[in-house]
Amino acid sequence: MEFFRIIKQKTQDKDIQELLTLENLELMSNEIIIISIRNNIEASIGSIWGEFTLTRNEIRGGLRFTLLECPNALTWTITTGLQPETESIVIHLTINREEQKETFIEEINEFLDDQSNCLQQIFPS
C-alpha cells in the first residue's frame, strides 16, 4: 500500500537534508520519540507502533526513513523537485501489504497528517 501527502510549499532538497536530521526529528513529527541516536543514519525510536531502529538516508530529492524491524516494512520519503509535484514537498509512505486493518491505515494517515503539519511549519511558503 502507498500513501501520499503533498505540501504546496517550495524548498530545496539540500534544505530537507540539512534540517531533518535525526537530532531534529521532533521538528518533523510529534509521533516519534528518540530513545537514542546510534550514528548519523540510525536511531532507536518509539512510536505508536512500538520501538524500532529508524534509518535516515539521503536520496535524490530529499530523504528516506525506514523502520527496520517493522513487519510491514514501513518506509517513507520526503522529497522535492521530483514527480508527482516538482514544485512541492511530497511525503510518500509505503508498506509491503496490499491490504491492512482499518485501524492501522487510520494510524498511518494520522502519522502523515502530523508530518505534513510539522513540515508546513518548518518550510513556510
Side-chain angles (χ1 to χ4, degrees), residues 21-81:
T21 63
L22 293 175
E23 291 83 7
N24 292 335
L25 276 181
E26 72 279 356
L27 295 175
M28 182 181 71
S29 177
N30 297 305
E31 297 192 11
I32 296 174
I33 300 165
I34 295 289
I35 297 170
S36 68
I37 296 175
R38 297 179 186 165
N39 53 51
N40 64 344
I41 63 167
E42 281 189 347
S44 296
I45 61 126
S47 72
I48 59 171
W49 302 303
E51 291 184 18
F52 298 96
T53 302
L54 174 73
T55 62
R56 175 196 175 272
N57 300 101
E58 292 186 4
I59 59 171
R60 181 174 169 233
L63 296 169
R64 174 182 298 117
F65 294 92
T66 304
L67 299 179
L68 292 184
E69 300 88 0
C70 179
N72 295 291
L74 193 145
T75 299
W76 73 96
T77 60
I78 300 171
T79 58
T80 193

Side-chain angles (χ1 to χ4, degrees), residues 5-7 9 11 16 78-80 88-91 119 123:
R5 291 296 182 280
I6 308 294
I7 303 166
Q9 291 171 244
T11 192
I16 291 171
I78 300 171
T79 58
T80 193
S88 299
I89 298 170
V90 177
I91 305 171
L119 292 174
F123 301 105

Side-chain angles (χ1 to χ4, degrees), residues 3-5 31 49 102 104-115:
F3 305 83
F4 287 91
R5 291 296 182 280
E31 297 192 11
W49 302 303
E102 189 60 37
F104 185 54
I105 293 171
E106 289 172 10
E107 291 169 351
I108 288 173
N109 282 315
E110 290 170 7
F111 178 73
L112 290 172
D113 289 343
D114 173 65
Q115 274 199 23

